[in-house]
Structures are given as C-alpha cells and as structure tokens.
Amino acid sequence: MADAGKFKKVRLSTEPTPEALADLKLGDVVYLDGTVYTAREGAYMRALQDGAPLPMTLPLESGANFHCSPAASIAEDGTIAIGAVTATASFRFSKWIGEWLALSGAKLILGKGGMTSADYKRHFVPHGAIYLTTVGYGTGALLGRGITRVKDVHWRKELGLAQAMWVLEVSNFGPFIVESDMNGDSLFERENKKIAAGLAKVYEGTRPAVLKRFGETDDRSDEMI
Amino acid sequence: MISIDVIQETAEKLMAQAAIEIPDDYLTGLKQAADAEDGDLSSFVLQAMLENYEAAKEDRRAMCGDTGCPRWYVKLGNDARIEGGPVALEEALRRATANATQNVPLRPNRVHPLWRTDHDNNVGIGAPEIEYGFEPGGDWIDLTTVHKGGLFGTDYRMLFPSDGIEGIKRFYLDSLVAFGKRGLACQPAIIGIGLGGSKDTCMVLGKRAACLRTVGDRNPDPKIAALEEEFKELGNSIGMGAMGFVGNSMVIDCHIEVGYCHTGGMQMSVHAFCLSSRRAVARVHGDGRVEHRTDPEWFTPFQRRETVGWQMPENSKKSA
C-alpha cells in the first residue's frame, strides 16, 4: 500500500474565513467543526423555482451545504435516530448551484464526485466557495460519528425525510478531500488527465461495437450500422 | 411448514446485517486490493473505507448513508411449504423492509418515479423487488437481501456474434471508465457481467453475477472462468482506483453469467456492486432452524441447467 498518511489534515470551521479557504490545496484532508445542513434537488427546487422562503437563516446558521440524505428515522414521539450519512452525486445539481450560492452564501459545498472546473470557475470562485468531496463514498459510519446533534429538520412534510433539510451539529466531521480550490481547479480533473494518458494502451485489442448508438454520434440523421 | 414469524424476524436481522457488516469474502478481497494499491490518494481512500467498516460494526450503524434499494432474492427448496403461502411471504418481506428502515435506520430511498411520493419505509409500487428461484429437494427457504445502489455503474448493450471477445472487452472497459471517473460507480467493487438472454434477462444475469457470487468464486465453464480472471486484471490495469483517483484497485472480482440468447445476438450488461457489497443470507428450515452464511449460493448447477429435465450430476451433489 502507498503512504496513505502523507496528506495534510486540516480542521476547518463550517463558516471558514477566506484566508482559511485560500490555504487549502487540492488533495488536503479536511475535518469540519460547526453546523452543516443538507440540501439537494428537493430543497433547491422549492427555494429557487417555487420561491419558498428559506426555513433557516443562511449563511448565519451555517455556511456548509451537504449534498446528502441521511440514513435516519423520526419516531412518532419526534425522537430522531441518525445512523450513517453519505453524500450523493453533486453533478446533477450544477444547474442550481450558482443561484443557490448567491441565495445561501454557502462557502463549502460537500458532496460526492464534485462538479466541473467550469462550474467552479463560473459559480464557486465568484462566491468565494470551494467543494469538498466525501471519501470513498461509503464512509457513512465515520461521518455519522462526527454528528453530535440533529439541530433541526426543515421541510420534512413538504419534501420527505430524504430530501428534507437536516441541520446537523458536527465535530471533527470527516474525512473530506479538497476537490476544488479558490482558483476553481478540480482534483478529479487533474487525476482524470493522468489516467487518460494510459487509456489507449488498455484499449489495445478491443474494437468498437458493430451497431453504433446515439451518443457515439450526435447527428440524428446518421445510420447506426 | 416454515413459520412466517421466523421468516420476518430473520428478514429484519438480514436487513440490518447487510447495511452494517461487510461480508467476509469481500473484506478479504478489499484488504488484498489495499495492500497492492500504489496510488497515494487511492490508498488514503481505501484506508478510510477499512476504518469505516470497523466504525460501522462497533457503533451498529450503516456503513454507508445511502443504504441503496433493498431487494430480496428468495429461493425455495422443492419441498418447502410456507405458513400462509406466497402472499404471506411477500407481506413478511415487505414488512421486514419497512421495519428495518425505521429501526436500523436505513435511508428511505424509495419514491414514486413521477410524483416523488415517499412512504419513508422503502416500500412502494414494486419495492422492494422480490425475485424467486427454486432448487430440487429441501424443506427450506433461502433469504438473501442485497442493498445495491441505484444510480450509477450499470449499462447494457446489444452486441452481435461478430463483435466477438474484443467487442465484449471494449464495452466492459467503456463501462468501467465511464462510471469510474470521479468514483461514480463507488469502486472498487465486484463487477458482474451478463451475456446473452434477452435484454431484461441479460440485465438480471449481470446484476445477480455482481450481487450473488462471492469473491474468488469462478464460473464452472473453464473458459468463462479464464475470462473472469482476465477481466479482473484488465479492469485493474486501467490506472484508476478508488474514487477515480490514480491507482490500480478497481475490480475486487469479476463474475460472468450467461444465458442462451437469440442466434443472431450477444447481449451484454455490466453491473458494479458497491464498495461494501452489501448482502446478507440465511436459510430458514421447516423445523424452525435458521442458518446464516456468507454465500448466497444462487448459481447452482440447477440454476445453470441446460437440459429439459433435471437430474443432479453425481459430482455436484451437495449435502444441502
């Protein structure tokens, strides 16, 4: 195994200063302290398309938006059980992210898989925000341990448990990896470039399918044979 | 007669086990991959994953916050009789799914595709899926639950005999490279490949190959077994590891299942199970005994039979 311990580890507030964010480099490992809230397509559509007023004061209460639905349940007496939390893939939310960053003032977007550097440069950089990716995507139990309290669950009735806005008090919540920096560069894109260099060799001896499909050509007047 | 209460109790336990505990065969495979990994970031990710499994087990909390779409594979011995019949069985499995969603807790992932209605219990129209298989002899029911993710890492393509192994390889690599970037497929994982059948059965075969066979298991056809080995190595030579970072741990194992298809075609599906291979299995006997095990033992000689009638081959008789 390669040296898994060589990465810089940082404790970061969920309302980070611009200086703290500027210090972060792609690939740094981050643990968060403070308050994070979940918001994904349900909350985005409700706030941005339906114009519903936000149920919490942002970014005063939290500057960290987690693309997540927790594995959690609420008993009839209101008791909340929260087990594991893991992110969901963020690329699907890029159509809302610019407006959302403007509305919420979020400085940290936490999720799975990141967005494109074009999204970062266009939306994140002007708002002084960065993207932190969860690690391995299955490390829900470790992240669950970092939640000290469920402060609130907003829009539960309107959106259901999975899409509701969960407000979570967290301590040493992580690990996350810095995926975008204040330049809007992307760690995933950097890695993809390195991998792409070796792909032609891996594909040697294979051949394209006899029957093509749309997507391999975007010209709908083309034949697929 | 198999008690319906024992079925439901067992099913609830299996739901918790699948969500919380990584199966032994998969953990062993993952540790070997972690040892062989030479990418820095990939190694860091694998290390965090291994720590996560410990945390999940210690805390009795789900390994992953996305607990997937719970589903059931049910196998019945030919002599099994279930208290209340198949209707009671389906109700017990649906109730176990709902109860476990509340009690573990699992994430209530299942919603109506159009209206997004969420019952907060992973039960709804067609959910959880319950699929059946049968085996000659035996007064028992095997319950296997699989919590597979529902979004990425799966693809289907109609290939033809003239595409050959080279075409199969291309589509396999295309699927891994497409979904492996940024780790959308939640690799490393067991990769299942379905070949043949028709479009729907091809998808079913590939999914079962990924979810119902253990690490190290090989197809009984020696040429297919050799392909499985070759494809495992090929997947790990892409240069991509955990989360799509530079590395060499993409495929913990590759399983291929085949079904007879139209003479002109060679359907192919690719399925990536997740980095935790969430499955749990138990057999409930007619006398009330419950035996837990790791291997779903789905693909028996009977399941892969080619003949009209069935007689257990002498060399594959099992005590079960």
Side-chain angles (χ1 to χ4, degrees):
Chain A
M1 185 183 243
D3 182 6
K6 64 177 245 186
F7 299 97
K8 187 177 149 201
K9 291 189 173 61
V10 183
R11 293 281 288 257
L12 189 71
S13 161
T14 53
E15 291 76 49
T17 61
E19 294 75 28
L21 291 183
D23 277 349
L24 294 174
K25 303 262 179 311
L26 298 185
D28 284 353
V29 177
V30 172
Y31 293 82
L32 295 172
D33 299 294
T35 300
V36 306
Y37 61 92
T38 68
R40 50 184 297 179
E41 64 269 52
Y44 291 165
M45 284 194 271
R46 192 168 161 75
L48 301 173
Q49 285 167 215
D50 303 346
L54 288 176
M56 57 192 291
T57 314
L58 296 175
L60 195 68
E61 287 182 61
S62 169
N65 171 196
F66 194 7
H67 290 158
C68 159
S69 309
S73 62
I74 303 179
E76 274 172 25
D77 66 359
T79 317
I80 295 172
I82 192 156
V85 288
T86 321
T88 197
S90 298
F91 74 89
R92 297 168 289 160
F93 312 138
S94 76
K95 66 181 272 198
W96 295 294
I97 200 66
E99 267 187 275
W100 178 256
L101 288 172
L103 180 71
S104 68
K107 297 295 176 219
L108 302 172
I109 299 292
L110 324 173
K112 169 179 176 177
M115 295 183 175
T116 64
S117 57
D119 285 327
Y120 297 144
K121 288 180 198 299
R122 186 163 161 215
H123 301 302
F124 283 61
V125 173
H127 290 107
I130 64 161
Y131 186 100
L132 302 176
T133 177
T134 48
V135 174
Y137 306 138
T139 60
L142 287 181
L143 289 177
R145 278 183 170 181
I147 298 171
T148 48
R149 189 163 68 95
V150 177
K151 291 170 99 170
D152 224 329
V153 186
H154 299 295
W155 286 348
R156 179 200 165 196
K157 281 207 181 72
E158 295 84 347
L159 299 175
L161 278 184
Q163 294 280 344
M165 291 177 77
W166 291 73
V167 188
L168 310 170
E169 186 181 87
V170 298
S171 169
N172 205 20
F173 183 57
F176 294 92
I177 297 177
V178 177
E179 141 67 4
S180 86
D181 58 16
M182 294 297 253
N183 295 323
D185 292 327
S186 156
L187 176 66
F188 284 121
E189 288 181 13
R190 193 183 79 187
E191 294 288 295
N192 283 344
K193 255 185 216 149
K194 290 184 201 164
I195 293 164
L199 283 180
K201 189 160 187 312
V202 181
Y203 271 79
E204 264 174 26
T206 70
R207 59 175 180 221
V210 170
L211 182 69
K212 308 285 178 295
R213 48 187 190 186
F214 286 126
E216 289 166 345
T217 167
D218 283 328
D219 181 348
R220 261 56 189 174
S221 66
D222 273 358
E223 288 200 86
M224 295 298 108
I225 55 174
Chain B
M1 187 76 80
I2 302 170
S3 151
I4 198 70
D5 289 342
V6 177
I7 288 178
Q8 191 183 314
E9 264 168 49
T10 307
E12 282 184 35
K13 275 187 202 145
L14 290 173
M15 288 286 285
Q17 191 192 333
I20 294 168
E21 293 178 38
I22 185 168
D24 285 340
D25 62 287
Y26 186 76
L27 182 60
T28 305
L30 191 61
K31 282 180 176 163
Q32 281 165 3
D35 285 343
E37 179 55 77
D38 53 19
D40 295 341
L41 279 164
S42 284
S43 287
F44 173 77
V45 175
L46 291 172
Q47 199 55 50
M49 281 165 46
L50 290 168
E51 284 166 24
N52 180 66
Y53 299 132
E54 290 299 317
K57 219 169 164 175
E58 271 174 40
D59 298 2
R60 299 305 296 168
R61 61 170 97 224
M63 295 181 272
C64 180
D66 184 342
T67 50
C69 291
R71 57 167 48 222
W72 291 99
Y73 293 94
V74 173
K75 208 189 247 186
L76 292 155
N78 198 38
D79 304 322
R81 296 290 175 275
I82 291 157
E83 184 189 350
V87 172
L89 170 65
E90 293 214 341
E91 184 173 334
L93 295 179
R94 287 169 82 88
R95 194 173 303 283
T97 303
N99 288 353
T101 299
Q102 172 79 27
N103 295 335
V104 174
L106 305 177
R107 189 208 279 181
N109 269 336
R110 296 281 197 158
V111 300
H112 189 288
L114 289 171
W115 323 131
R116 316 311 286 182
T117 317
D118 189 342
H119 299 156
D120 283 345
N121 64 4
N122 281 317
V123 175
I125 300 172
E129 293 86 354
I130 304 176
E131 296 179 41
Y132 296 93
F134 306 95
E135 287 291 322
D139 170 19
W140 46 257
I141 180 171
D142 275 356
L143 301 174
T144 300
T145 186
V146 166
H147 297 184
K148 190 183 180 304
L151 302 181
F152 310 108
T154 295
D155 208 354
Y156 168 86
R157 185 149 195 166
M158 186 67 196
L159 299 179
F160 298 90
S162 61
D163 280 309
I165 297 288
E166 297 90 339
I168 292 175
K169 268 187 197 167
R170 166 73 66 111
F171 187 54
Y172 170 70
L173 285 173
D174 278 351
S175 303
L176 294 188
V177 170
F179 295 115
K181 285 185 182 149
R182 296 174 185 252
L184 290 183
C186 288
Q187 75 270 19
I190 298 177
I191 307 296
I193 296 177
L195 290 174
S198 49
K199 183 171 187 174
D200 56 343
T201 44
C202 181
M203 291 296 284
V204 166
L205 279 172
K207 185 155 191 161
R208 289 178 176 178
C211 299
L212 299 177
R213 287 177 54 192
T214 54
V215 175
D217 180 47
R218 284 287 156 262
N219 192 292
D221 180 328
K223 285 188 204 154
I224 296 177
L227 270 184
E228 291 178 339
E229 297 276 4
E230 187 186 343
F231 279 25
K232 178 184 170 184
E233 208 172 300
L234 181 63
N236 287 332
S237 69
I238 292 172
M240 200 184 273
M243 285 177 76
F245 294 140
V246 172
N248 53 21
S249 46
M250 184 91 182
V251 182
I252 298 298
D253 209 345
C254 177
H255 297 313
I256 301 174
E257 287 299 326
V258 299
Y260 276 34
C261 58
H262 188 288
T263 184
M266 191 171 67
Q267 297 81 349
M268 174 164 175
S269 72
V270 181
H271 296 251
F273 202 172
C274 73
L275 49 79
S276 306
S277 277
R278 293 169 297 185
R279 59 170 139 78
V281 197
R283 173 168 294 187
V284 183
H285 292 272
D287 61 10
R289 276 179 304 130
V290 180
E291 291 171 315
H292 288 261
R293 62 175 197 259
T294 305
D295 188 345
E297 294 170 18
W298 185 272
F299 289 100
T300 57
F302 181 73
Q303 299 300 322
R304 293 181 176 127
R305 69 194 183 277
E306 297 194 51
T307 52
V308 174
W310 172 249
Q311 200 171 10
M312 180 75 87
E314 276 305 317
N315 61 1
S316 55
K317 269 187 184 157
K318 280 188 168 180
S319 56

